[in-house]
Amino acid sequence: MYFAALLARTEDGWEASDTELDDVETLSDLADLAREASPDEDTVLVLIEQEDGWFGVVRVDGEEDPRVYVSDAAAASRSSYGEILLTDELLGREPGDDGADLDALDLDGTEDGEPDDEDVDADDGAASAGPSEAMPHGPVGDAQVLEDLGVSEKELRSMTEDAVTEIAEALGASEVLETVR
């Protein structure tokens, strides 16, 4: 289960709306969706939470590039919604670098990436690492994304299971968030 909500800061406080991410394919799409929630170019936060797995915060301030924080990159990489947030830039990779180095591949004639018998013996039967293994375990991104809104880097990094609710409480937006939960 996942939950995603938009929190838009207005002159009157925070306004919340739940959002479906089914039509969102890129971080740019998500930023555009956030900008639509605030015609006055105010701050908009996209809060995404995967139950017992990870959470993400995307902050969009007007036309500026979105700022992103993900609590656990490895867990998020196993989610289609997490993959939206885990851009090459956020992960410190060159665009298009999927982590596989063609020079390091063992092209020994086995089909479909099946290891030959020698490889299995050498690895004690362990499967080779997939793309998600290359993901950092733990947080990535801008941990100061909410600093000026009252959530310190240390507080953000210590949040776990109910992070979206904790963030909303710190922002004074828990009541409006509950209306869309």
Side-chain angles (χ1 to χ4, degrees):
M1 288 291 295
Y2 85 97
F3 173 73
L6 294 172
L7 285 178
R9 188 163 73 177
T10 68
E11 290 178 6
D12 300 326
W14 291 97
E15 292 181 8
S17 58
D18 62 340
T19 186
E20 282 294 321
L21 301 178
D22 294 340
D23 295 331
V24 175
E25 295 180 10
T26 65
L27 181 59
S28 180
D29 293 344
L30 187 59
D32 290 343
L33 182 69
R35 288 184 185 102
E36 290 172 14
S38 179
D40 295 331
E41 294 191 4
D42 290 320
T43 298
V44 178
L45 302 175
V46 180
L47 304 175
I48 302 172
E49 171 177 79
Q50 181 104 25
E51 190 174 297
D52 296 330
W54 63 276
F55 70 92
V57 177
V58 178
R59 178 177 178 159
V60 178
D61 293 301
E63 291 300 315
E64 292 181 27
D65 287 341
R67 295 169 58 193
V68 180
Y69 174 81
V70 176
S71 66
D72 186 338
S77 71
R78 295 186 293 270
S79 160
S80 59
Y81 303 112
E83 288 179 349
I84 294 169
L85 306 180
L86 297 174
T87 62
D88 288 335
E89 181 181 349
L90 186 73
L91 297 170
R93 298 189 303 210
E94 291 296 318
D97 179 10
D98 61 3
D101 182 2
L102 292 179
D103 293 332
L105 291 178
D106 182 14
L107 302 175
D108 62 0
T110 57
E111 293 186 54
D112 299 324
E114 294 174 8
D116 59 21
D117 292 338
E118 291 174 19
D119 287 345
V120 171
D121 291 341
D123 292 341
D124 279 340
S128 63
S132 65
E133 295 298 319
M135 283 292 156
H137 290 275
V140 295
D142 184 354
Q144 297 176 344
V145 67
L146 301 174
E147 190 97 16
D148 65 324
L149 299 173
V151 180
S152 71
E153 178 178 346
K154 182 179 179 182
E155 290 170 315
L156 189 62
R157 288 183 185 271
S158 68
M159 292 180 182
T160 54
E161 289 182 27
D162 209 12
V164 168
T165 301
E166 291 178 45
I167 291 168
E169 286 174 5
L171 300 175
S174 58
E175 287 183 24
V176 294
L177 181 68
E178 284 306 312
T179 64
V180 297
R181 199 175 259 277

